Amino acid sequence: MQLTVTEENYLKALVHQSFLAAQPVGVGTNELADILGVKPATVTDMARRLSEKQLVLYQRYSKIQLTDVGREVAMKVVRKHRLWETFLHQHLGFEWHQVHAIAEQLEHVQSDELIDRLDAFLGFPTTDPHGDAIPLANGAIEPMVTHNLATEKEQHTVKVIGVSTDETSFLEYIQQMDIQLGAEITVQHRNNFDKLVSIQVNGREQVLSEHLATKILVKCSACGH
């Protein structure tokens, strides 16, 4: 099925909301408009078009839901995006805050053979540079059990396995603190009054806000979870 870039972007936005909810969910017209930065009327027109192609379920005044076919198409776009991010980071030297915008362009390549070869070339990676799971060719995706840094106990040492946002300013900021995938962080102190989290990473003392710490996904270095 040949789709436009815009149609694929709508499907991807819908499946991302399912990721956030950890289950299939419908998305309201106004909510999707805010996510994509368009007018609600534009979303309504697109929802009708995608409904005609049997990619979404949509009725007036109801939420928009992906069909099984729509989810399959959306997952292919997500798969391509995350594989391209991995390639750009590992083989072309782009920093993790740079890869998202470029992958947004590359994700619309239509050749399944190219993407399968890219996957094999990369050694069939399971996560992208931000720690997000890469869907398999059949659209399946392994759920990732993660904790965020703000919930870790004092004196615990954890390993960074991902982030919950690809916002450029956030990624640039934490990279300046030497916080990146695989980095080991020791939580030294949590201030109950202002919620600041004191950490040590690569021998450096750092202080993070609770808001920032919640966006850093980690697992226990010693116990593996």
Side-chain angles (χ1 to χ4, degrees), residues 23-50:
Q23 60 184 346
V25 295
V27 181
T29 300
N30 290 337
E31 181 184 0
L32 191 55
D34 288 340
I35 292 169
L36 294 169
V38 298
K39 296 179 179 179
T42 303
V43 172
T44 299
D45 290 342
M46 179 59 74
R48 288 172 179 157
R49 188 193 310 177
L50 294 173

Side-chain angles (χ1 to χ4, degrees), residues 16 81-86 88-90 94-104 126-134 144 146 160-168 170-172 174-175 180-182 215-218:
H16 272 304
H81 182 99
R82 294 179 178 177
L83 285 171
W84 282 121
E85 284 192 332
T86 304
L88 291 166
H89 181 64
Q90 290 185 357
F94 285 94
E95 301 290 351
W96 66 351
H97 64 272
Q98 298 174 308
V99 297
H100 178 74
I102 303 172
E104 286 277 294
T126 57
T127 58
D128 71 10
H130 304 115
D132 294 319
I134 298 175
M144 296 182 64
T146 60
V160 178
I161 61 171
V163 290
S164 62
T165 177
D166 52 24
E167 186 178 350
T168 298
F170 165 77
L171 295 173
E172 289 178 332
I174 64 172
Q175 185 162 306
Q180 53 192 318
L181 289 186
K215 297 180 182 299
I216 300 172
L217 307 180
V218 297

Side-chain angles (χ1 to χ4, degrees), residues 211-225:
H211 175 69
L212 191 152
T214 60
K215 297 180 182 299
I216 300 172
L217 307 180
V218 297
K219 68 178 181 180
C220 174
S221 293
C223 55
H225 58 75

Side-chain angles (χ1 to χ4, degrees), residues 73-128:
V73 174
M75 292 300 286
K76 282 187 175 182
V77 179
V78 173
R79 168 178 164 79
K80 288 185 285 186
H81 182 99
R82 294 179 178 177
L83 285 171
W84 282 121
E85 284 192 332
T86 304
F87 174 76
L88 291 166
H89 181 64
Q90 290 185 357
H91 295 278
L92 296 186
F94 285 94
E95 301 290 351
W96 66 351
H97 64 272
Q98 298 174 308
V99 297
H100 178 74
I102 303 172
E104 286 277 294
Q105 303 170 55
L106 296 170
E107 70 186 21
H108 301 291
V109 170
Q110 295 300 313
S111 173
D112 289 338
E113 182 180 0
L114 171 61
I115 300 306
D116 289 342
R117 291 193 181 194
L118 177 63
D119 191 19
F121 173 76
L122 293 169
F124 305 103
T126 57
T127 58
D128 71 10

